[in-house]
Amino acid sequence: MAQDFRRGALIGAPIVLGYFPIAFSFGVAATKAGLSPIEAVVMSLLMYSGAAQFMAIALIAAGAGFWISVATLVGMSLRHVLYGPSMLRAGGQSAPPKGALAWGFGLTDEVFGAGLGAFARGQAFTGGFIWGLTLVSYAAWVGGTAVGALAGASALAAWPAVDAGLSFMLTALFLALLLSIMQRAELPVIAAALVGTVGLSFAMSPTAGIMGGMILGALVGTVLGRRDAV
Amino acid sequence: MRFEIFSLIAVVGAFVWAFRALPMRLDLARMPEKGALARFFAATGVAAIATLFAASMLPEFAGGRSLPALIGSAAVLAVYLPSRSVVLATLAGAAAYGAGFAFLA
């Protein structure tokens, strides 16, 4: 159990490196938008969803209505419905390890991607592993937010290049995760997801682009998988 | 802490938890290995990561930061392919983006 936990924490190291600075930027942005440090930290503790949190502070700063904000933020998070079952499938499990109602909250985009990469390299889907992976990522996110919120709104004003580099950290992490899990047979899935995301983002909204691109890619994978299975 | 801010965080947080944790209660043991739903879930992973990469690149192009974004992405590829390290590739991408941003500014 302890060894698996350490292994999960190690697999989570790149996420920690990505999360801490991004969460720091979030803490700074939240205080800039008028949230108190406590409100920023509670948001990271209870929402734990980067894109939705950045959107939340934009909605709060713009004075958006409560239910409009809820609908927007819930819509942005809908994609997570697919992660748990997909991860169980990738890890060769028919049921999740114990405590899924607790560690399941930690299944962010990056944790999901890192978990898939580890399973593809032969890592077993154990309770210790998933707790290690999810806890270090969560701690980095909440800790980064606290440091950023306490540093205050002008923390990065004198360092625009550092601010810019930090803002690209998650994009770089997504690309690195994609490279780590992709196989040649999955190129049509990736192409469909990219085309779907770009097309729907322009035609409708970024949220529709994320959900639609993901579903389109998964549908292409479903059809191709069927051909392979026949 | 303001009540309306806490309410928003609590309601959205409850949905996020439900979306992430509850779908694992599906009885996957009964799902056929080569069934459509199993294939769908298997393909979701790579599709999701590709989607999130595309979605995070779009604002870079729309915001006039396409060159730093391309430099950053090229650095991720250049470091990942020989090293196979997600950590090093991520750090190199962010550093190259910051350097490109500073150079263009």
Side-chain angles (χ1 to χ4, degrees):
Chain A
M1 176 83 177
Q3 195 181 355
D4 275 354
F5 185 92
R6 277 197 297 274
R7 177 84 187 133
L10 197 66
I11 295 289
I15 301 177
V16 171
L17 287 174
Y19 270 12
F20 195 89
I22 296 290
F24 179 89
S25 307
F26 169 74
V28 170
T31 50
K32 238 185 239 180
L35 269 68
S36 70
I38 289 179
E39 287 168 340
V41 172
V42 170
M43 190 179 280
S44 281
L45 274 170
L46 298 184
M47 273 175 66
Y48 188 33
S49 184
Q53 286 182 224
F54 276 102
M55 178 61 83
I57 58 174
L59 289 165
I60 291 167
F66 181 82
W67 291 111
I68 295 284
S69 300
V70 168
T72 305
L73 299 173
V74 167
M76 285 184 74
S77 306
L78 199 56
R79 66 184 183 280
H80 293 129
V81 165
L82 302 172
Y83 287 3
S86 178
M87 206 160 173
L88 291 181
R89 173 62 51 179
Q93 302 286 318
S94 58
K98 257 187 177 176
L101 289 180
W103 61 252
F105 181 59
L107 286 188
T108 61
D109 301 320
E110 297 76 18
V111 166
F112 170 65
L116 287 192
F119 298 148
R121 293 189 294 273
Q123 170 66 46
F125 192 172
T126 62
F129 171 78
I130 196 69
W131 273 112
L133 177 59
T134 52
L135 273 183
V136 295
S137 308
Y138 185 62
W141 185 257
V142 176
T145 302
V147 175
L150 290 173
S154 58
L156 293 174
W159 308 91
V162 175
D163 194 16
L166 294 182
S167 73
F168 192 72
M169 192 75 83
L170 273 188
T171 310
L173 180 59
F174 286 137
L175 180 57
L177 285 173
L178 183 62
L179 291 170
S180 76
I181 64 172
M182 69 186 279
Q183 294 170 355
R184 188 177 293 270
E186 288 164 333
L187 288 178
V189 176
I190 293 169
L194 293 177
V195 170
T197 306
V198 174
L200 286 169
S201 293
F202 280 116
M204 295 171 76
S205 69
T207 300
I210 291 175
M211 199 66 203
M214 195 180 299
I215 291 175
L216 184 64
L219 286 175
V220 167
T222 308
V223 173
L224 290 179
R226 183 182 173 195
R227 244 193 261 152
D228 293 345
V230 171
Chain B
M1 177 151 194
R2 287 166 288 179
F3 177 74
E4 66 274 19
I5 302 281
F6 180 77
S7 306
L8 179 66
I9 292 170
V11 171
V12 175
F15 273 101
V16 169
W17 170 78
F19 289 162
R20 289 179 184 167
L22 295 184
M24 283 186 283
R25 311 289 283 194
L26 291 173
D27 190 357
L28 293 178
R30 290 191 199 160
M31 194 188 294
E33 189 71 24
K34 296 286 181 188
L37 196 56
R39 293 199 307 271
F40 182 82
F41 285 140
T44 299
V46 72
I49 303 298
T51 294
L52 293 165
F53 171 64
S56 56
M57 280 294 271
L58 283 177
E60 303 291 340
F61 285 91
R65 299 181 302 273
S66 51
L67 196 55
L70 290 174
I71 293 171
S73 301
V76 172
L77 279 168
V79 172
Y80 181 80
L81 292 177
S83 69
R84 302 278 156 185
S85 166
V86 171
V87 184
L88 291 179
T90 303
L91 291 175
Y97 181 96
F101 180 86
F103 180 74
L104 290 173

